């Protein structure tokens, strides 16, 4: 029996060594490239060191041995002729991690410099824009390419919000590429994108697909039967408003604080009247349940309960409660929860039937 265990030991060692090599190669693939990791595997699995001359042919192609040496994944032994040997797994991984950290630090430095430069460029651009707006608070655009470019980019640099009014009127047939959904970077910055579309979008297959794509990207969408103008407004600082039904040939770019604020107020009035983009109209039972939730949440808000307490009391999720509260405050045009409770009381939400 003792002899059998001794015979089995090399097999166990070989199995564990193969596992170590496999995991090392997998990690090297992440830290470097699949090609370099494959060259390391070929060298490590060779029957001992291989002649340096002609090593590339065995390791995957021209420059393979040089890349392994440069990364510290192999070393040359001073034989005659010289031979190439693979670094042990642990030193190989340590060398690759050190190089990766160096590369990441270099990339971070590049990004940091770019961020500083971007801040300076933005400050310069802002100063130039301020100088321009002192003399010109409104600019009429008549070049269709200029209008399209501004329409596509006016919201990309938003820091707080981007608002859109979109009529169903176009010079060219609507295509899926006509959609202008929020960018992932904008959503990640916490920018709120709200848009009101004409309901005609829903009856058009391409229009419905555009709404679906924009909603999936994070845009809040509401619908109205009719809109009179196309408009885009960013951060309460600038607006682009169509001066023709389609807006493709003549548009007005506004930076006047007074006018932009008035347009934002106009948007908010429409937003309160518009209905959210949802699934098909709910059944009467669902409507009654939603109304019960709305009144229950409003009553508990008036009592000063927090979101979590309201959720527990009504058997709802905190997320649902927060969404309902946002809808209630929009409906009541209230800036605070206290103001919402007072306005709900004034409107008779809590009156008993027949009172």
């Amino acid at each position: 029996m003792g002899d059998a265990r001794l015979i089995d030991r090399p097999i166990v060692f070989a199995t564990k060594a193969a596992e170590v090599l496999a995991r090392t190669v997998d990690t090297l693939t992440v830290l470097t490239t699949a090609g370099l990791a494959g060259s390391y595997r070929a060298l490590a699995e060779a029957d001992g060191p291989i002649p340096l001359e002609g090593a590339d042919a065995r390791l995957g192609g021209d420059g393979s041995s040089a890349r392994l040496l440069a990364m510290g994944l192999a070393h040359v032994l001073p034989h005659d002729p010289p031979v190439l040997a693979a670094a042990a797994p642990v030193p190989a991984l340590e060398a690759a991690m050190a190089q990766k950290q160096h590369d990441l630090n270099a990339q971070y430095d590049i990004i940091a410099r770019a961020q500083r430069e971007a801040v300076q460029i933005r400050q310069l651009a802002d100063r130039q824009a301020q100088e321009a707006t002192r003399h010109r608070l409104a600019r009429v655009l008549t070049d269709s390419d200029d209008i399209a470019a501004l329409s596509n980019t006016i919201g990309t640099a938003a820091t707080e919000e981007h608002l859109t009014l979109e009529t169903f009127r176009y010079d060219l047939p609507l295509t899926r590429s006509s959609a202008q959904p929020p960018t992932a970077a904008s959503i990640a910055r916490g920018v709120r994108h709200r848009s009101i579309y004409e309901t005609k979008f829903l009856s058009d297959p391409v229009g419905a697909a555009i709404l679906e794509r924009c909603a999936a990207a994070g845009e809040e969408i509401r619908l109205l039967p009719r809109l009179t103008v196309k408009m885009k407004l960013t951060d309460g600082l600038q607006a682009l408003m169509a001066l023709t039904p389609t807006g493709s040939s003549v548009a007005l770019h506004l930076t006047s604080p007074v006018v932009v604020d008035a347009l934002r107020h106009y948007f908010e009035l429409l937003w309160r009247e518009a209905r959210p983009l949802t699934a098909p109209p709910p059944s009467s039972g669902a409507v009654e349940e939603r109304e019960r939730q709305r009144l229950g949440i409003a009553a508990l808000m008036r009592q000063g309960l927090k979101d979590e307490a309201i959720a527990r009391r009504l058997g709802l999720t905190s997320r649902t409660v927060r969404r309902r509260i946002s809808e209630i405050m929009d409906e009541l045009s209230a800036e605070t929860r206290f103001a919402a409770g007072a306005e709900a009381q004034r409107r008779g939400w809590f009156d008993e039937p027949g009172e």
Side-chain angles (χ1 to χ4, degrees):
M1 291 296 292
D3 291 340
R5 285 195 295 271
L6 288 175
I7 292 172
D8 289 343
R9 248 177 226 175
I11 299 175
V12 173
F13 290 155
T15 301
K16 290 185 176 180
E19 180 185 358
V20 168
L21 178 59
R23 295 179 65 174
T24 300
V25 170
D26 288 344
T27 306
L28 286 175
T29 301
V30 175
L31 292 172
T32 60
T33 65
L36 190 61
S39 297
Y40 175 80
R41 177 192 284 275
L43 183 58
E45 289 180 340
D47 206 9
I50 64 175
L52 181 59
E53 185 176 352
D56 286 352
R58 298 182 57 177
L59 301 180
D62 291 345
S64 298
S65 56
R67 286 191 290 272
L68 289 172
L69 290 169
M71 186 65 72
L73 304 182
H75 50 268
V76 176
L77 298 178
H79 293 189
D80 187 17
V83 294
L84 186 69
V90 172
L93 286 177
E94 289 176 343
M97 286 188 292
Q99 183 61 43
K100 188 68 173 180
Q101 185 64 57
H102 173 78
D103 293 343
L104 290 175
N105 288 341
Q107 291 177 3
Y108 175 80
D109 290 341
I110 292 172
I111 293 172
R113 288 196 300 271
Q115 287 176 333
R116 290 193 295 269
E117 188 66 17
V119 169
Q120 294 176 3
I121 292 173
R122 184 175 189 127
Q123 290 172 346
L124 178 60
D126 288 345
R127 285 196 296 269
Q128 292 175 343
Q130 289 170 4
E131 287 294 327
T133 55
R134 288 177 186 174
H135 307 286
R136 186 172 56 184
L137 299 178
R139 180 166 59 107
V140 176
L141 304 176
T142 56
D143 184 282
S144 58
D145 288 341
D146 289 345
I147 295 171
L150 185 56
S151 176
N152 285 320
T153 60
I154 190 171
T156 57
T159 59
E160 296 180 3
E161 66 174 2
H162 180 60
L163 314 176
T164 300
L165 298 178
E166 192 65 40
T167 66
F168 195 75
R169 291 186 284 276
Y170 298 91
D171 289 328
L172 299 175
L174 198 62
T175 65
R176 292 175 185 268
S177 62
S178 303
Q180 296 177 6
T183 63
S186 179
I187 295 297
R189 291 198 304 271
V191 177
R192 187 182 184 190
H193 292 258
R194 291 187 290 156
S195 297
I196 303 174
Y197 293 82
E198 285 190 328
T199 51
K200 290 180 182 178
F201 276 87
L202 289 179
S203 59
D204 181 85
V206 177
I210 287 174
L211 296 190
E212 182 179 358
R213 179 182 172 190
C214 291
E219 185 175 299
E220 299 175 47
I221 295 176
R222 292 191 179 184
L223 301 164
L224 280 174
R226 183 172 179 272
L227 291 171
T228 59
V229 66
K230 292 178 182 283
M231 182 183 75
K232 296 190 176 186
L233 193 151
T234 298
D235 291 336
L237 299 176
Q238 60 174 326
L240 180 65
M241 186 169 65
L243 296 182
T244 61
T246 64
S248 61
S249 58
V250 186
L252 185 63
H253 183 214
L254 295 156
T255 54
S256 165
V258 174
V259 178
V260 172
D261 187 58
L263 291 175
R264 189 184 187 284
H265 181 67
Y266 172 64
F267 178 91
E268 294 297 348
L269 292 175
L270 295 178
W271 183 258
R272 289 167 188 152
E273 294 296 324
R275 68 177 179 87
L277 175 66
T278 60
S283 64
S284 59
V287 171
E288 292 174 1
E289 175 61 20
R290 185 180 181 89
E291 179 67 9
R292 184 189 67 79
Q293 289 181 6
R294 185 178 72 116
L295 295 179
I297 290 172
L300 295 175
M301 284 172 61
R302 183 178 57 159
Q303 297 174 23
L305 271 67
K306 302 295 185 184
D307 295 354
E308 291 75 12
I310 294 174
R312 288 194 299 271
R313 184 78 64 88
L314 298 180
L316 303 172
T317 65
S318 296
R319 183 178 180 181
T320 296
V321 168
R322 284 192 291 270
R323 186 170 65 250
R324 295 283 188 270
I325 288 175
S326 177
E327 293 169 356
I328 290 169
M329 294 182 70
D330 277 349
E331 180 179 353
L332 298 174
S333 302
E335 297 293 334
T336 66
R337 294 163 71 109
F338 178 80
E343 178 62 17
Q345 177 71 44
R346 189 187 69 80
R347 296 189 186 190
W349 284 19
F350 311 120
D351 295 345
E352 293 295 331
E355 289 187 0

